[in-house]
Amino acid sequence: MINIPNIQQLITKLKQGKTIIYPTESVFGLGCDPDCKIAIYNLLKIKKRSWKKGLILIAADYTQLIRYIDDSNLSKIQKERAFSTWPGPITWVFPARINNCSHWLTGKFSSLAIRITCFEPIKHLCLEFGKPLVSTSANLSGYPPAKTLKEVYKQFGYKIPIMHKNVLGRPNPSEIRDVITGKLIRK
């Protein structure tokens, strides 16, 4: 029998440094506490992903991201570029606040990818947790991202706690753009 955790059980797992799986706008995501290096390390190990690539933080609102990014040198136009798409499925790469941001999050970069979600289940999860979540697609490296619970179980089995909600239904993972240049990084 599958144990279907409620939101408080998922929060408890996050606070214990565990990885969880949750639906996003287009695919299921693997997530953990962005302030727990062991949790990030384990998430990368589960996914079989190199730390060098960096990760995304997904949040309920901008205030949850302030401690991880440095927006002090961004112009009003650069900030408006990102804010005009949020909340929503666009991920923006911001300069990282290096003192507060582990290399496990940024990878080999001095920047951090961030997104403010409009998807209520994740927004609620971030608000209840009190901070953003690490967000990377739920798939083993080299495999397609899981879009259904069946695909999640096929790739990861039944050991990782899962938020049992459907993905929002967008056809592709979030677009990624650079906040400084506006350049498209991933379509």
Side-chain angles (χ1 to χ4, degrees):
M1 186 170 165
I2 299 170
N3 178 25
I4 300 174
N6 64 36
I7 196 160
Q8 289 308 316
Q9 291 169 320
L10 292 170
I11 299 297
T12 298
K13 293 294 184 187
L14 289 167
K15 289 180 178 178
Q16 293 171 344
K18 304 291 185 196
T19 298
I20 67 167
I21 297 174
Y22 54 89
T24 69
E25 294 89 350
S26 60
V27 299
F28 277 89
L30 283 171
C32 68
D33 182 343
D35 298 318
C36 181
K37 292 175 186 171
I38 292 170
I40 298 167
Y41 173 80
N42 287 332
L43 179 145
L44 292 169
K45 187 175 173 184
I46 290 167
K47 187 174 168 85
K48 299 179 182 173
R49 177 185 170 109
S50 169
W51 69 271
K52 294 177 182 178
K53 292 183 175 183
L55 294 162
I56 295 172
L57 293 186
I58 191 169
D61 57 53
Y62 192 68
T63 60
Q64 290 189 327
L65 298 164
I66 294 291
R67 70 178 297 253
Y68 304 96
I69 58 166
D70 181 3
D71 64 0
S72 62
N73 291 320
L74 296 180
S75 71
K76 183 178 178 182
I77 291 171
Q78 290 167 325
K79 288 179 187 178
E80 285 175 355
R81 223 183 247 149
F83 293 140
S84 70
T85 66
W86 286 337
I90 308 293
T91 297
W92 289 91
V93 176
F94 274 65
R97 193 175 299 271
I98 299 301
N99 294 340
N100 291 343
C101 213
S102 162
H103 74 275
W104 291 105
L105 290 175
T106 60
K108 64 179 183 175
F109 307 101
S110 60
S111 56
L112 182 63
I114 59 173
R115 181 167 81 251
I116 299 172
T117 186
C118 63
F119 189 39
E120 282 302 318
I122 303 314
K123 187 175 181 177
H124 184 66
L125 184 62
C126 291
L127 287 171
E128 288 291 318
F129 188 43
K131 58 180 159 181
L133 296 173
V134 168
S135 185
T136 184
S137 58
N139 61 295
L140 300 173
S141 288
Y143 287 81
K147 291 188 174 196
T148 66
L149 286 168
K150 184 178 178 181
E151 291 171 0
V152 168
Y153 289 126
K154 186 175 181 181
Q155 288 191 53
F156 295 103
Y158 295 86
K159 293 183 180 179
I160 302 171
I162 300 173
M163 178 184 268
H164 280 251
K165 303 274 185 189
N166 291 326
V167 298
L168 185 60
R170 288 186 50 83
N172 298 311
S174 68
E175 182 178 291
I176 301 176
R177 292 187 168 272
D178 184 296
V179 75
I180 294 172
T181 64
K183 181 182 172 189
L184 180 66
I185 297 170
R186 179 181 79 187
K187 188 167 183 163

